[in-house]
Amino acid sequence: MLDLKKGDVVIQLGDSTVTDMMSYMRALSIFEEGDATEVTSDRNGKKITATISF
């Protein structure tokens, strides 16, 4: 499992593509405490995927 780091830019959260703060907030609103999903982020030009829990 990979950890998210400072500077990672979230580009996908679960099934939702994140393009701006509004789409990020919309994607977050789907999840409840205890849920888990994959998050894809851009780390210096590389796509990194990790599993996160809420």
Side-chain angles (χ1 to χ4, degrees):
M1 180 169 93
L2 296 172
D3 292 325
L4 295 176
K5 295 184 178 183
K6 182 178 179 178
D8 288 353
V9 177
V10 175
I11 56 176
Q12 185 155 351
L13 189 57
D15 293 331
S16 301
T17 301
V18 175
T19 57
D20 56 22
M21 185 59 80
M22 200 61 152
S23 62
Y24 178 69
M25 296 304 289
R26 203 173 305 119
L28 281 176
S29 71
I30 296 169
F31 300 100
E32 296 181 9
E33 186 175 348
D35 289 347
T37 194
E38 286 192 345
V39 60
T40 302
S41 64
D42 181 322
R43 180 181 294 165
N44 299 321
K46 286 179 63 178
K47 287 186 179 179
I48 304 295
T49 302
T51 301
I52 59 170
S53 299
F54 295 92

